[in-house]
Amino acid sequence: MSRTRLSAPFPDHGRPPGGLPGAAVRTAAETAGVVLAGLGVWGSVVSLGFLPHPYLQVPALAAGAGLFTLRHRFPVAVLLVLAALTGLAPCVGPVTAATAYAVARRTVRARQRGRLLVAAAALVVVCATVSAPWLGPGSVPYGLALGLILTPTTVLVPGLVGTSYGQQRRLVRALRERGDAAERARRFADSEARTHERSRIAAEMHDLVGHRLSLISLHAGGLELALERADPELRDEAVLVRRTTRDAMRELRQALGVLGPLGRDTGAEALTDATGTRADIEALVAESRDGGIAVRLDWTGPDLDARPAPVRRAVHRVVRESLTNVHRYASAAHVTVTVVHDDETVRVTVRNGAPPASPASAGNMGTGRGLTGLRERVELLGGTFDAAALPSGGFQVDATVPAEPGDAPALKRPGTDGTGPEEGEAVAEGGVAPERRTAQALTLVLGLGTLSVLMALGTAFVYATVPHREAGPRPLPRVGMTYSEVTGAGVLDNKAVRAAATGHEPPRPAGTAGCVYPFNGATEARPGALTIARYCFDASERLISIDRFTVPSVRDAAPWETP
């Protein structure tokens, strides 16, 4: 049987191996995700041509990504700063939404969480309103509208989702702890019931078997006295019967100590302050060495004098029972007793080599109930016990008990008490199964994507409703405007209007280099009269005169009026 270190089956489930690199990778992935969502919002609004200063928002997004990595260390400050940045640059909205979700999920106090979310929402609205004339839509009312649209998607909705999720996790953790407490209470009640039943069995065995053995010892003593003169040879047999009966009584008391409560064993060798200490184990080893067995003791760690009585009694029982078995089955073998004591466990290993020759009656010398009693004693303390033959032909007994039985449940192996492998799983932040964790991650990613789309649509809607400077009627031409400004206002020369004005227009102003006769300036004032507008420019293409005059109009006669 190979030796196994007790610390191996019980790793730190709260932080798996490589926890720090895993946390760094997770933080990097989350940061990259929110930055991509922010770039998506920024790109969507920029592609529509609404943002007045699109590239000024990219540094704000970079600053938000840097603050996002500090959300667990400084949750309140990071959320408030990100809310202010969101009012200045809507592309920071996804970063703020993820932070609001994380902060609300981890904040236990409802009043503090509510105040924080309200303050963050107010910062979004105030910053969006104040910065509207310079970085936003251009006017305070539209900045206020933008802040009111961003607030639900960046703070309120993520905060409410985080609150619900955090309360659910805390509720599940509380229910799990209550279930664990109920399970521990049930195990304690079962242990108490077994202890009482063992005490009852011990009392019955003491009354029945002990009484019979006492009578046998008494009669053997009388027979010894009677045969002292009558038949000295048979007297030795009577002495053997009396001694055997005494040994049987002692072993019976030891068995009753196993069946009875662990804290108050019965028999002549009742529990003392020295039981299970290093001096006690050395005394057991010395007794076996005096009996002709080559025994070596290896003790590692401090003495057990400060440990609870059940722990010391278990160590004493394991060593004594193991050495007794060596006396019975392998008295010529070399034996090693190893005791390793650390802050958490006490491990006892008794190993003997293969005997030179197996006794002929070895198969009938015992029933194996001593090892069964040891196993029960060790497991009642929350430890582990193993006894098996070695491939070399020897035998090894390996027992480990917790140094403090109150912390013993962690030493139970999965599946030994019907709880299954999840008994040792961590409950860090309401630990969940990997499949459920993956589903939650996908849900959060889809939620963040949906919020980002809503942010982009809301921002685009606000910017699209803002009146642009080019909107409204074009300015009317006035004296002093350049030719390009006049033509840009829609005043273009029309050949038909120019032909109608030829010969009927008033004299042109002095310094005129050319005139424009627009079609939209020609209106029929009365039948047979057409009003024409004339725009005259000087040599430098400056408008120097706007004239309106009336010329006769040509009207075709109707067919029935033709002579």
Side-chain angles (χ1 to χ4, degrees), residues 505-542:
E505 61 180 320
R508 296 181 176 183
T512 300
C515 296
V516 174
Y517 303 87
F519 178 79
N520 53 4
T523 57
E524 189 175 10
R526 62 181 184 274
L530 182 67
T531 301
I532 295 177
R534 182 182 65 184
Y535 298 83
C536 298
F537 298 86
D538 58 9
S540 61
E541 297 185 356
R542 290 283 179 179

Side-chain angles (χ1 to χ4, degrees), residues 185-204:
R186 183 188 65 80
R187 293 179 186 174
F188 180 76
D190 293 345
S191 178
E192 287 292 325
R194 286 195 299 268
T195 301
H196 288 303
E197 184 64 18
R198 289 168 182 267
S199 299
R200 187 186 64 81
I201 295 174
E204 291 183 358

Side-chain angles (χ1 to χ4, degrees), residues 20-43:
L20 290 178
V25 171
R26 179 179 178 181
T27 301
E30 293 174 349
T31 305
V34 296
V35 169
L36 289 177
L39 290 176
V41 174
W42 177 79

Side-chain angles (χ1 to χ4, degrees), residues 59-409:
L61 180 59
L67 291 173
F68 182 74
T69 59
L70 304 175
R71 66 192 185 281
H72 296 316
R73 183 175 300 179
F74 310 104
V76 177
V78 169
L79 179 58
L80 295 180
V81 174
L82 287 176
L85 286 177
T86 302
L88 302 177
C91 62
V92 190
V95 184
T96 306
T99 305
Y101 165 81
V103 173
R105 186 187 67 177
R106 293 178 177 270
T107 304
V108 178
R109 297 182 180 179
R111 181 174 299 179
Q112 179 181 2
R113 181 174 56 246
R115 292 176 178 175
L116 180 59
L117 294 179
V118 170
L123 275 177
V124 173
V125 175
V126 171
C127 292
T129 304
V130 172
S131 64
W134 300 277
L135 301 176
S139 61
V140 172
Y142 286 95
L144 177 62
L146 179 62
L148 293 176
I149 288 179
L150 291 177
T151 297
T153 55
T154 58
V155 177
L156 298 183
V157 173
L160 293 177
V161 174
T163 300
S164 175
Y165 183 66
Q167 291 179 347
Q168 178 185 3
R169 291 172 67 89
R170 287 187 286 272
L171 177 60
V172 171
R173 187 185 303 114
L175 293 176
R176 183 179 287 110
E177 291 176 355
R178 181 175 298 180
D180 293 341
E183 180 66 18
R184 287 194 298 269
R186 183 188 65 80
R187 293 179 186 174
F188 180 76
D190 293 345
S191 178
E192 287 292 325
R194 286 195 299 268
T195 301
H196 288 303
E197 184 64 18
R198 289 168 182 267
S199 299
R200 187 186 64 81
I201 295 174
E204 291 183 358
M205 291 182 62
H206 184 272
D207 294 341
L208 297 178
V209 182
H211 177 66
R212 298 297 182 184
L213 290 177
S214 298
L215 292 178
I216 294 175
S217 179
L218 179 61
H219 288 294
L223 184 60
E224 178 183 352
L225 294 177
L227 293 177
E228 184 176 0
R229 296 180 181 179
D231 194 346
E233 296 181 359
L234 293 178
R235 177 182 176 277
D236 296 336
E237 297 297 331
V239 172
L240 178 61
V241 171
R242 181 173 59 83
R243 291 179 178 176
T244 304
T245 305
R246 183 187 61 188
D247 294 340
M249 285 290 294
R250 185 178 67 253
E251 293 179 357
L252 175 62
R253 292 191 179 97
Q254 295 176 0
L256 296 181
V258 175
L259 291 175
L262 297 177
R264 50 179 183 87
D265 292 327
T266 59
E269 299 177 358
L271 179 66
T272 64
D273 293 339
T275 302
T277 61
R278 182 166 184 172
D280 181 44
I281 302 302
E282 290 177 349
L284 293 177
V285 171
E287 290 178 3
S288 298
R289 191 180 295 117
D290 294 340
I293 299 179
V295 186
R296 179 170 59 90
L297 174 63
D298 292 336
W299 188 290
T300 303
D303 204 345
L304 298 178
D305 51 356
R307 294 303 179 185
V311 175
R312 293 187 284 112
R313 169 60 76 180
V315 173
H316 175 88
R317 290 286 189 180
V318 170
V319 175
R320 191 176 70 178
E321 181 67 24
S322 301
L323 292 178
T324 300
N325 289 338
V326 172
H327 277 280
R328 291 179 179 177
Y329 307 120
S331 58
H334 184 273
V335 185
T336 302
V337 178
T338 304
V339 179
V340 179
H341 176 207
D342 55 27
D343 294 337
E344 297 180 357
T345 59
V346 180
R347 182 175 182 178
V348 182
T349 304
V350 180
R351 180 172 183 172
N352 64 273
S358 300
S361 60
N364 299 323
M365 293 182 65
T367 60
R369 294 181 180 177
L371 295 179
T372 302
L374 292 181
R375 181 184 301 277
E376 293 179 358
R377 177 181 292 275
V378 171
E379 291 183 351
L380 281 176
L381 293 176
T384 58
F385 181 86
D386 195 359
L390 298 175
S392 60
F395 198 84
Q396 177 172 296
V397 176
D398 194 354
T400 302
V401 294
E404 295 294 336
D407 301 331

